[in-house]
Amino acid sequence: MAKFESLTFDNGFSRLPETYYSRVCPTPVPDPYLVCYSPEALALLDLDEGEMTRPELIETLAGNQLLPGMDTIAALYAGHQFGHYVPQLGDGRAILLGEVKNAAGEGWEVQLKGAGRTPYSRGGDGRAVLRSSIREFLCSEAMHALGIPTTRALCIVGSDRPVYREDQETAALVTRLAPSFVRFGSFEVFYYRNQVEPIKHLADYVIARYYPELTALADPYPEFLRQVALRTAELMAQWQAVGFSHGVMNTDNMSILGLTLDYGPFAFLDAFDPGFICNHSDTGGRYAFDQQPDVAAWNITKLAQALVPLMSVETASQAISEYPQAFGRAYLERMAAKFGLPPGGETASLHPQGAGRGCRDTEVSTTMLIMDALQLLAQNHVDYTIFLRRLGDFDSRPETANTLLRDLFLDRAAFDAWAARYTAALRQLNSIDAERGASMRAVNPKYILRNHLAEIAIRRAADERDYSEVNRLHALLTRPFDEQPQYEAYAAEPPDWARKIEVSCSS
Ligand code: AMP
Ligand code: MG
């Protein structure tokens, strides 16, 4: 474990030509203080937890002082925002401090989000408010604990410097970590400027560092594109399976590594609602929950287009052609596991006695069982996370009512009909309740970052300077699959007041 002064910086991105970024220093904030930190993220940098008590480190992560070896830059990128190309975005408030090489040989880029204006700030103030920083910090670390690829969050440093949004708020900086923050939009910017060389050079850099196995190929670019598409398919499967809605799936928020990136107005589903729109500003529902896999596919075509200077149009479309199947397969595999059913395969007849008689109307597939359950959840406004967690306690013995689960549904008869089919499928599979339950509890989280939980933590932090709730939530969400009986209330449905919470891009 190291002291932060002895961190080794090896800044790959800022060794690239200045075409890709602007050199810029963070703008200091007055009297920074530590709000919270993630011990797990700290360990990625080999830093001792005691380091977080040192004012020098807080000053550094507030952007007030730099360490030797840091080379601070804001990256250039463009992107399609809500379907429209915006030729210049870039890190408008995030500043890359450098890339730390840890003892395991991993490179972690360290970035301050909310570090002040950059050449890409456009009309913005370069700042982030405490409220949105808490949401990003908690969700990054919660997603990681759920096993979902994401950028990480090391800590939040706050300052009483005022920041003006709808109301006056205070500033905060999230220290984010990722192997790379390169986005689809990092390539698009050069495509639309008709600059082929920077596209090639950036692709070479990303391939060499993050897809090294492709360097052996004579022509690595199509395979690179294919792998980005496949990683994105996997990520979408994970979002859909856990019920995560990103809210702003613009191409500048799509990671070239398939990571969840840029937490803004995101939300986890409470009641299952396929058309759920978490972003208050998304009036057309472009980024509604059930649109996400298709939006990702659309975004991938924009990446493919940006890479067309490196390959033919046919090759590019071929490279991304597996996305739909890859998504479908990954999603169904995850959903099957969440329902305690075997992956993929069609389950045999639900009435074994009918199987040999070609009783086709009694044959259903795992997929149908799952899709029908989702439809029932939507019709009955049943909480997605609670349903799946309780399904892990499903009792498949005859005559059992599974009351706790059944009580989630208004339409009990419809639930009973589904439960009968589920029971039949389980019996057909010789599924053992206790074993299935244990494996389901390992994939169906009990605790997710519900909007109202974040809201309570934010209010305490903002109104009372009390960060204990942020810390409690963080600790709770790092073990989302474990029963934590003292926190039972954190697994409950949102209270009525939570309906009024609105989140938008103004963060
Ligand atoms: P987002 O959709 O939140 O990821 O941000 C879209 C673009 O707006 C990015 O280029 C951000 O850097 C920029 N941006 C967002 N908020 C601010 C801000 N307060 N100041 C400057 N730039 C910002
Ligand atoms: Mg963004």
Side-chain angles (χ1 to χ4, degrees):
M1 287 294 163
K3 297 232 169 271
F4 80 91
E5 292 91 342
S6 57
L7 289 175
T8 312
F9 287 92
D10 180 21
N11 308 321
F13 194 77
S14 62
R15 276 201 304 273
L16 288 171
E18 289 203 23
T19 334
Y20 299 104
Y21 54 81
S22 297
R23 287 218 146 73
V24 58
C25 284
T27 307
V29 289
D31 308 317
Y33 46 85
L34 181 68
V35 172
C36 55
Y37 69 94
S38 161
E40 294 86 354
L42 205 58
L44 297 174
L45 303 186
D46 303 325
L47 285 178
D48 190 274
E49 271 197 57
E51 291 293 285
M52 291 312 300
T53 59
R54 294 182 52 204
E56 303 93 309
L57 181 56
I58 307 310
E59 290 290 335
T60 301
L61 299 180
N64 292 357
Q65 68 182 30
L66 299 178
L67 294 178
M70 285 179 170
D71 191 1
T72 58
I73 59 171
L76 166 71
Y77 52 84
H80 279 82
Q81 297 194 314
F82 290 89
H84 304 285
Y85 184 66
V86 182
Q88 192 187 296
L89 294 162
D91 291 331
R93 54 174 168 170
I95 294 180
L96 187 64
L97 297 179
E99 179 182 348
V100 168
K101 269 267 155 12
N102 70 13
E106 299 163 339
W108 287 96
E109 289 192 346
V110 182
Q111 189 194 60
L112 300 183
K113 181 168 177 179
R117 287 180 54 79
T118 78
Y120 312 113
S121 297
R122 298 173 291 161
D125 59 5
R127 292 299 176 191
V129 295
L130 180 63
R131 166 176 56 88
S132 67
S133 302
I134 289 174
R135 284 170 52 83
E136 171 139 20
F137 171 83
L138 288 175
C139 200
S140 307
E141 293 305 286
M143 290 291 262
H144 173 73
L146 288 164
I148 302 176
T150 177
T151 60
R152 301 293 301 274
L154 182 76
C155 67
I156 301 177
V157 169
S159 163
D160 288 349
R161 180 197 186 284
V163 174
Y164 303 94
R165 297 292 182 259
E166 281 89 1
D167 297 311
Q168 180 177 322
E169 303 189 40
T170 60
L173 296 92
V174 185
T175 302
R176 303 201 295 189
L177 307 178
S180 171
F181 291 92
V182 170
R183 303 130 194 276
F184 290 10
S186 311
F187 289 93
E188 288 178 281
V189 64
F190 300 110
Y191 172 77
Y192 288 92
R193 289 180 180 182
N194 283 315
Q195 296 177 330
V196 175
E197 190 48 37
I199 299 176
K200 184 173 180 309
H201 198 70
L202 184 61
D204 290 340
Y205 168 79
V206 171
I207 291 169
R209 304 219 28 169
Y210 307 106
Y211 295 86
E213 64 289 355
L214 306 187
T215 51
L217 300 176
D219 178 11
Y221 307 121
E223 183 59 20
F224 164 56
L225 177 56
R226 179 173 165 270
Q227 298 223 354
V228 176
L230 294 180
R231 284 201 198 186
T232 307
E234 185 60 42
L235 182 68
M236 290 309 114
Q238 297 229 41
W239 285 4
Q240 299 310 110
V242 81
F244 176 78
S245 204
H246 180 283
V248 201
M249 284 180 68
N250 295 333
T251 55
D252 51 294
N253 290 338
M254 298 291 291
S255 155
I256 206 72
L257 303 182
L259 308 173
T260 311
L261 170 64
D262 277 9
Y263 292 88
F266 69 84
F268 287 83
L269 295 181
D270 293 303
F272 186 74
D273 174 7
F276 174 67
I277 303 165
C278 63
N279 183 354
H280 187 59
S281 327
D282 182 12
T283 43
R286 180 179 174 87
Y287 298 141
F289 175 70
D290 63 355
Q291 298 302 305
Q292 297 188 125
D294 287 349
V295 169
W298 190 87
N299 290 344
I300 290 165
T301 66
K302 295 298 156 197
L303 176 66
Q305 191 175 6
L307 295 180
V308 155
L310 309 185
M311 65 192 89
S312 70
V313 171
E314 296 71 41
T315 307
S317 48
Q318 180 65 33
I320 62 174
S321 62
E322 287 169 53
Y323 173 89
Q325 292 91 319
F327 165 74
R329 202 180 322 114
Y331 176 66
L332 279 177
E333 247 173 57
R334 290 193 179 273
M335 292 307 289
K338 290 170 84 69
F339 277 78
L341 296 167
E346 306 282 303
T347 54
S349 164
L350 294 190
H351 295 278
Q353 70 280 20
R357 291 185 249 135
C359 190
R360 293 197 62 83
D361 59 343
T362 57
E363 286 184 11
V364 298
S365 65
T366 303
T367 312
M368 287 295 287
L369 208 48
I370 294 170
M371 294 306 147
D372 290 347
L374 294 182
Q375 199 178 356
L376 269 188
L377 295 183
Q379 285 162 351
N380 288 266
H381 307 287
V382 175
D383 189 279
Y384 181 63
T385 303
I386 293 176
F387 169 77
L388 285 168
R389 187 72 181 188
R390 284 194 195 166
L391 191 64
D393 296 324
F394 192 85
D395 187 337
S396 68
R397 286 173 302 185
E399 317 296 324
T400 38
N402 285 293
T403 313
L404 273 179
L405 195 60
R406 187 174 188 261
D407 285 351
L408 295 171
F409 295 80
L410 266 172
D411 186 349
R412 303 274 154 85
F415 170 76
D416 290 342
W418 183 86
R421 288 166 56 203
Y422 185 55
T423 302
L426 297 176
R427 297 173 78 76
Q428 170 85 14
L429 293 161
N430 294 320
S431 180
I432 297 163
D433 287 355
E435 287 177 8
R436 183 185 64 256
S439 59
M440 287 168 75
R441 280 185 287 277
V443 291
N444 291 323
K446 172 138 182 169
Y447 302 102
I448 52 167
L449 181 60
R450 295 176 188 269
N451 259 344
H452 75 279
L453 298 177
E455 188 67 19
I456 293 168
I458 288 167
R459 282 188 199 171
R460 280 235 192 115
D463 300 345
E464 299 164 41
R465 295 177 179 272
D466 174 358
Y467 309 120
S468 59
E469 189 61 21
V470 177
N471 284 301
R472 192 173 300 118
L473 257 187
H474 168 68
L476 172 76
L477 295 170
T478 54
R479 294 166 47 210
F481 301 106
D482 293 356
E483 292 291 331
Q484 301 181 56
Q486 71 276 35
Y487 295 126
E488 199 61 32
Y490 289 75
E493 286 171 50
D496 282 345
W497 63 261
R499 282 201 202 101
K500 294 198 211 80
I501 302 174
E502 283 177 356
V503 280
S504 70
C505 293
S506 82
S507 53

